[in-house]
Structures are given as C-alpha cells and as structure tokens.
Amino acid sequence: MQPGDQAVRRVRSLLILGGARSGKSAYAHRLAESFAAERLYLATAEAGDEEMAARIGRHRADRGRDWATLEEPLELAQALRAEARPGRVVVVDCLTLWLSNLILAGRDPGEAVAGLIQAIGGLAGPAILVSNEVGLGIVPDNTLSREFRDWQGRANRQVAEACDAAVFIAAGLPLQLKPAPALAVRLS
C-alpha cells in the first residue's frame, strides 16, 4: 500500500449519520448500488400530508426501477430480520422517522431500539441504516422535542455500537467514524 491508501474493509452493517440534506441517502444509495444488483429500500416514512407524499414519490423515482421498496413505519427490526439475506443489500431510511413514528404511536422507544440492536447482530445479509444527527443544534423549546432528541441520540449511539462501521456525512462528504482511525493526540 502507498501512503494515503486505505485498506477496504468489508462490513455487514453500516450506520450513516448526518444532518438534514447532508447527502446521507445519496451516499447510502451509491454504496448499495456498488454492492449488489438486488437492493431493497426499507422505508420508514408515512405520507401524512401532500408534501410528504410528493417527497416519497420523488425519492422513489430517484431510486429507479432497480430497487424494491418495502414500507414499514413501526416494525423495523422484524422487517430487517425478514428481508436481509446474502446477495441483497437493505437500505433502511431512516431511523429518525422510525423513532418519531414509535413515539407518536405511544410505543416504547427503548424496547424497539433494543429489538433493532438484536436484529443488527444477527443479520443474514448486509444492511445500511440511515439516521439524522439531531443533537448538534439548539436545545428544543418543548418537552416532546427534547424527549425525541434524547431518544435519537441514544438510538444513534446504540446503533453505531452495534454496526460494524459508521460514517458521518457533512456537505455530501463522508467521514469514517467506525472503525476509528488511531488518534494522533496525547494528553501531557
């Protein structure tokens, strides 16, 4: 290997984090398309209004006909276990909407996240999970928003720990978080 070259590491599970419109989904799609001809988009969004329905339609058109789509707003762990298999990559987009769906449905996010962590550990095929990093901004001004932000932070941390690799996307650029490169700092 030449200086600056990186070894390619094969992973079964990957978490992609980033802010809104950072390029998370586009990165996940490109990675999935480079891996396998058989691809499943496991969507967690629900079309609750016209704007969201139009957004879902645009996303579906952007993916094209080479993608199968399964919509599952709540039972994500069960769907992931059932759909992940060798030779097929599953892209879960996104954990943020899934968590929101759980909270609004009155479900226990802790129990659901634990089930997802267990599913990730036993995947029969590769999966890419997309999630928003929501804790880098201001503190929300209401209880529900603060509760959601805290659950999202915990879920992201637990999913990152369970996945083989994690990438943060900022301005469309990927930054590898896990496996982490050795830090070149030392406290004195």
Side-chain angles (χ1 to χ4, degrees):
M1 257 179 15
Q2 298 296 320
D5 287 349
Q6 293 182 345
V8 173
R9 180 178 174 151
R10 298 215 176 263
V11 298
R12 173 68 45 102
S13 54
L14 170 66
L15 174 64
I16 300 174
L17 292 168
R21 295 283 170 246
S22 62
K24 301 176 303 290
S25 295
Y27 182 78
H29 296 170
R30 285 191 308 272
L31 192 59
E33 288 169 352
S34 73
F35 170 75
E38 189 178 353
R39 298 178 292 275
L40 174 70
Y41 186 83
L42 185 48
T44 62
E46 293 185 291
D49 57 36
E50 287 182 29
E51 185 272 335
M52 190 56 140
R55 183 182 293 240
I56 290 169
R58 283 191 308 274
H59 281 270
R60 207 173 246 175
D62 288 346
R63 285 191 306 274
R65 296 180 186 177
D66 293 335
W67 285 80
T69 300
L70 174 64
E71 295 177 356
E72 182 47 68
L74 295 170
E75 302 300 333
L76 183 56
Q78 181 180 341
L80 188 56
R81 272 196 291 287
E83 298 296 335
R85 59 180 173 253
R88 172 199 239 184
V89 62
V90 177
V91 174
V92 176
D93 200 354
C94 79
L95 297 182
T96 309
L97 288 172
W98 171 67
L99 189 63
S100 178
N101 294 340
L102 290 169
I103 291 171
L104 293 175
R107 301 266 191 106
D108 178 2
E111 184 179 312
V113 170
L116 178 60
I117 299 308
Q118 186 177 27
I120 291 169
L123 290 174
I128 301 169
L129 297 96
V130 177
S131 189
N132 284 285
E133 175 51 69
V134 299
L136 296 175
I138 61 172
V139 175
D141 68 347
N142 64 73
T143 303
L144 179 61
S145 295
R146 285 189 299 273
E147 178 184 347
F148 172 77
R149 181 214 44 200
D150 292 348
W151 274 115
Q152 186 68 63
R154 284 190 288 272
N156 285 346
R157 189 177 67 235
Q158 291 172 17
V159 171
E161 185 177 321
C163 284
D164 298 328
V167 171
F168 185 81
I169 306 291
L173 302 172
L175 176 64
Q176 181 177 313
L177 302 175
K178 179 185 177 182
L183 288 177
V185 297
R186 197 173 314 238
L187 294 176
S188 60

